[in-house]
Amino acid sequence: MGLLSGLLGNASEVDSNEVDKLLEDTLIAGEEVAQAYKVIRDLFIFTNKRLILIDKQGMTGSKIEMLSIPYSKITKYSKESAGHFDLDAELKIWIGSDPTPISKEFKAGDNINQVYKIISQYCL
C-alpha cells in the first residue's frame, strides 16, 4: 500500500493493517489507498477516488465517524498556520454549497503543509 509514516512531525506512524481493517467494508472495486496520515487520533486517508476523514471518538476511540468526500465536491480549502501565541494550525475544507467548512486542528509540530499539498494534488 505504501502508506507514509510519521510525516506530520508529532504524528504517529499509520499502520497499513489498521487502515485495511478500517476500510475493508468501505472501499469500492478499483479504489486504492494512495496515502494516509494520522493527526492525533484522526486519520486523513487519500484514495484514488475520494478523501476519507476518520474521527475516533470517546475515551477508547472504538467509536468512529467516517466522512467520505469525493474530490469533485471540494469547492475550496484553506490552511491557517500556527502563530507565536496560537500554537495550533487549522485546515478547513468546504464541501459543495455548504457555507460551513469542515475544520481540523493540527497541533504544534504537525506539518499541515503536507496534507494541504496532497489535497491540492487531488483537487486541482
Side-chain angles (χ1 to χ4, degrees), residues 102-121:
I102 296 168
S103 296
K104 294 290 183 180
E105 281 194 9
F106 289 67
K107 298 298 179 193
D110 288 346
N111 187 356
I112 190 173
N113 296 323
Q114 186 64 31
V115 173
Y116 187 82
K117 187 175 182 178
I118 298 297
I119 291 173
S120 296
Q121 178 183 341

Side-chain angles (χ1 to χ4, degrees), residues 4-14 36-40 42-44 46 91 105-118:
L4 300 177
S5 60
L7 287 181
L8 294 176
N10 297 339
S12 59
E13 181 175 340
V14 176
Y37 299 96
K38 191 174 215 174
V39 179
I40 305 171
D42 295 343
L43 289 168
F44 286 77
F46 296 92
L91 177 71
E105 281 194 9
F106 289 67
K107 298 298 179 193
D110 288 346
N111 187 356
I112 190 173
N113 296 323
Q114 186 64 31
V115 173
Y116 187 82
K117 187 175 182 178
I118 298 297

Side-chain angles (χ1 to χ4, degrees), residues 15-62:
D15 181 10
S16 62
N17 291 331
E18 176 186 356
V19 174
D20 289 343
K21 185 176 180 178
L22 282 171
L23 300 180
E24 67 185 349
D25 295 328
T26 304
L27 299 180
I28 62 170
E31 185 175 20
E32 298 177 1
V33 173
Q35 295 166 313
Y37 299 96
K38 191 174 215 174
V39 179
I40 305 171
R41 291 182 0 169
D42 295 343
L43 289 168
F44 286 77
I45 301 171
F46 296 92
T47 75
N48 57 331
K49 299 188 180 290
R50 58 184 158 168
L51 169 61
I52 301 171
L53 300 177
I54 296 181
D55 180 15
K56 293 191 175 186
Q57 302 171 354
M59 293 296 287
T60 63
S62 59

Side-chain angles (χ1 to χ4, degrees), residues 69-110:
I69 306 167
Y71 298 121
S72 63
K73 298 301 180 189
I74 297 175
T75 55
K76 60 184 175 179
Y77 48 98
S78 70
K79 65 178 176 176
E80 180 182 299
S81 62
H84 292 293
F85 297 108
D86 182 10
L87 300 178
D88 294 337
E90 188 174 20
L91 177 71
K92 294 180 182 178
I93 302 171
W94 284 264
I95 310 301
S97 61
D98 190 348
T100 307
I102 296 168
S103 296
K104 294 290 183 180
E105 281 194 9
F106 289 67
K107 298 298 179 193
D110 288 346

